[in-house]
Amino acid sequence: MILQALAFYVFAAITIASGAMVVSSRNPVYSVLFLILAFFNAAGLFVLIGAEFVAMILVIVYVGAVAVLFLFVVMMLDINITKLREGFLEYLPIGALIGIVLALEIMIGLGVFGGLPTGTVASLNKAGAQVASIENTRAIGQVLYTQYFYLFQVAGLVLLTAMIGAIVLTLRSRPGVRRQKVGEQLYRTKEQAMTIVKVPSRGGL
Amino acid sequence: MYETAIDFFTHNWLGQAIVILLECLAVTVPLLVAVAYMTYVDRKVWASIQLRRGPNVVGPFGLLQPFADGLKLMLKETIVPSSANSILFIIAPMITFLTALIAWAVVPFGNGVVISNLNVGILYLFAISSLGVYGVIIAGWASNSKYAFLGALRSAAQMVSYEVSIGFVLITVLLCVGSLNLSKVVLAQSGGFWHWYFLPLLPMFVIFFVSSLAETNRTPFDLPMSEAELVQGFQTEYSSMPFALFFLGEYANMILLSAMGAVLFLGGWMAPLPFLPSTGVWGVIWFALKIAFLLFVFSWTKGTLPRYRYDQLMRLGWKVFLPVSLGYVVLTAAVLQFGGWVPKI
């Protein structure tokens, strides 16, 4: 238990510290790198509460794909760092307000102010206990493909639409671009590819 | 307080920590020796392909060559370019090396011989192998050199592209197994080589192998470090130990992906014929032989094939492997469902 508690405090402290560094570091590349560190430690916290599947998906999706693209874009941009810092204090109150609102919402959701109907917490705990007895991959699969099937499909369709949208926005037909068409190359026969010319002696072509 | 030593190592947290540390060492040390000798075998294989002898001066048959190389790199001066971002410049090779090492925590070497028998082992491997790209991108950016940066961009695009098809390959395998646990993946393939997944999933095995060549930036996909255009790609500015870490990390990654291939498609620790022993140390030997075979194919490809052009590389990843692997996932699911072979979980 000591090791688990120690791991929790290490992960939690690093998550919060790197979250603060994302906002306050001077170089945007550092910000993205701290964001990655925060994702990573959040995944560690998920592992500690026994949600291994969510932890791995967090690392695969956010660290392995989303943050790579972030880093890619931020590294390519030529950002003037001092200019970026100028409005920092101006936006601080708005940012703090949003932060406080989010924190309050989470607290209401957890029933800190006693707003929850009685029994909700108990039923949540019961559901958690049931989940703990089977692998959590299977537990997620069981509700995702039964109770939330339509929502799951709709989420997939929304992502598909976004993907098609991105392709439509960037796809332009550019005339004059020579493309390699592998199919055509492979189906070319000897007759199409070369002609045999009988060259008369001393005549040339 | 603790009656026996066994009691201490299983119940006291300090004892458990010592056991975990020893387990990690028991995997890491042989792995590093394997990495060292992989560089040697690699060079010997290329040499044989080109009708040369390869390293044969240091020690008998040149067997001490990897250690001579290591010593040379260790004794060299570590040069950090003055315009480089020195912290990230030093961290990048460490990331590459570490991600190649920590993935081994879930690889089963035998029946029950595994550091952590994680229920989501396949996902863990996939997550860790997708982290390798950070070492490369950070190295390229922190070097503050155009060759390094170009190499890093190429590498990042390439690794992200081929991860997609590797993901689909993993999904087909876990559809057949019905579990994300790597030990269960191996156990599902028990009973002779005709039960291994490379036969029913042959197209996926080929896609997995080619994608792992691309993931490790090996020929014919070594565009990130193509010496004719980019000097040495993202490694251009590195020297001495940081360079050695990149080099070791790259080979450790190759061994890791070969181990993944062996577990997913070649039956892990299982013996090729059912009457041969596959328990205890025999399991480790079979597993090592399968990894060695895949690594030989890695070297063989490098000695044989020319480098792809960048647009050809992207075409292969997105227009060939992605649709084929996606189609095969659907096909496998359909065959399992309608053939009545859905694994019972």
Side-chain angles (χ1 to χ4, degrees), chain B residues 13-321:
Chain B
W13 65 270
L14 187 69
Q16 285 171 354
I18 292 171
V19 169
I20 292 172
L21 209 66
L22 287 178
E23 280 173 344
C24 295
L25 275 180
V27 172
T28 315
V29 172
L31 178 67
L32 288 181
V33 175
V35 166
Y37 275 97
M38 185 56 212
T39 62
Y40 170 80
V41 171
D42 227 12
R43 292 164 72 178
K44 277 287 191 193
V45 172
W46 305 334
S48 309
I49 287 171
Q50 298 162 353
L51 300 180
R52 294 184 288 116
R53 284 199 178 171
N56 63 350
V57 176
V58 193
F61 307 106
L63 276 171
L64 295 176
Q65 185 69 39
F67 297 101
D69 286 343
L71 202 65
K72 183 197 80 174
L73 283 170
M74 233 188 290
L75 294 175
K76 277 191 164 181
E77 184 192 353
T78 307
I79 299 167
V80 180
S82 56
S83 61
N85 186 325
S86 51
I87 302 169
L88 291 181
F89 188 81
I90 298 294
I91 287 178
M94 293 182 191
I95 293 176
T96 307
F97 187 61
L98 267 183
T99 52
L101 286 189
I102 56 176
W104 285 90
V106 295
V107 175
F109 294 92
N111 200 352
V113 189
V114 53
I115 293 181
S116 167
N117 197 3
L118 209 59
N119 271 333
V120 287
I122 294 183
L123 287 181
Y124 175 83
L125 271 185
F126 190 50
I128 297 299
S129 71
S130 68
L131 293 180
V133 66
Y134 283 109
V136 175
I137 304 188
I138 294 173
W141 184 76
S143 300
N144 209 352
S145 141
K146 56 187 164 203
Y147 297 118
F149 192 57
L150 282 172
L153 289 184
R154 281 183 180 187
S155 176
Q158 171 181 330
M159 287 165 105
V160 170
S161 309
Y162 279 84
E163 244 164 51
V164 182
S165 45
I166 286 194
F168 281 119
V169 172
L170 296 185
I171 289 173
T172 40
V173 172
L174 65 91
L175 274 177
C176 297
V177 179
S179 171
L180 294 170
N181 188 319
L182 284 171
S183 300
K184 284 184 186 160
V185 173
V186 178
L187 286 172
Q189 304 177 55
S190 55
F193 70 90
W194 54 92
H195 287 281
W196 297 353
Y197 284 147
F198 79 100
L199 276 177
L201 303 178
L202 189 64
M204 295 313 252
F205 183 44
V206 174
I207 288 179
F208 179 82
F209 184 75
V210 177
S211 301
S212 55
L213 285 175
E215 278 282 292
T216 46
N217 297 328
R218 290 276 291 191
T219 327
F221 306 109
D222 61 343
L223 287 134
M225 40 180 73
S226 52
E227 60 280 345
E229 316 153 34
L230 293 181
V231 192
Q232 190 55 249
F234 59 91
Q235 294 176 348
T236 304
E237 306 292 335
Y238 282 88
S239 59
S240 167
M241 268 327 267
F243 175 77
L245 281 184
F246 262 127
F247 198 68
L248 293 177
E250 212 169 277
Y251 275 92
N253 251 328
M254 273 167 53
I255 300 180
L256 174 70
L257 279 158
S258 302
M260 252 170 105
V263 167
L264 297 174
F265 293 102
L266 299 180
W269 71 76
M270 292 291 173
L273 293 168
F275 56 84
L276 293 171
S278 59
T279 48
V281 77
W282 280 102
V284 181
I285 291 172
W286 291 122
F287 189 48
L289 282 175
K290 287 166 189 172
I291 296 178
F293 167 71
L294 286 176
L295 284 173
F296 170 73
V297 185
F298 263 82
S299 309
W300 184 12
T301 346
K302 175 148 185 168
T304 312
L305 293 178
R307 186 177 297 138
Y308 258 50
R309 217 171 51 211
Y310 198 70
D311 62 313
Q312 292 171 328
L313 172 102
M314 283 296 157
R315 183 187 159 274
L316 185 70
W318 289 105
K319 292 189 179 169
V320 180
F321 281 1

Side-chain angles (χ1 to χ4, degrees), chain A residues 97-118:
Chain A
L97 195 69
I98 294 173
I100 290 168
V101 168
L102 284 177
L104 280 177
E105 279 177 355
I106 291 173
M107 283 159 86
I108 292 168
L110 290 175
V112 176
F113 307 115
L116 282 184
T118 48

Side-chain angles (χ1 to χ4, degrees), chain A residues 2 27 29-30 33 36 40 52-53 56 59-60 63-64 67-68 71-72 75-76 135 137-138 180 182, chain B residues 13 85 88 119-120 123-124 126-127 130-131 133-134 137-138 141 153 156 160 180 184 309 312 315 345:
Chain A
I2 296 177
N27 191 331
V29 173
Y30 287 173
L33 292 176
I36 294 163
F40 228 98
E52 321 146 322
F53 184 77
M56 292 307 144
V59 174
I60 291 170
V63 182
V68 173
L71 202 60
F72 222 86
M75 280 178 177
M76 301 272 262
E135 286 171 40
T137 315
R138 204 191 306 174
Q180 182 181 20
V182 176
Chain B
W13 65 270
N85 186 325
L88 291 181
N119 271 333
V120 287
L123 287 181
Y124 175 83
F126 190 50
S130 68
L131 293 180
V133 66
Y134 283 109
I137 304 188
I138 294 173
W141 184 76
L153 289 184
V160 170
L180 294 170
K184 284 184 186 160
R309 217 171 51 211
Q312 292 171 328
R315 183 187 159 274
I345 46 171

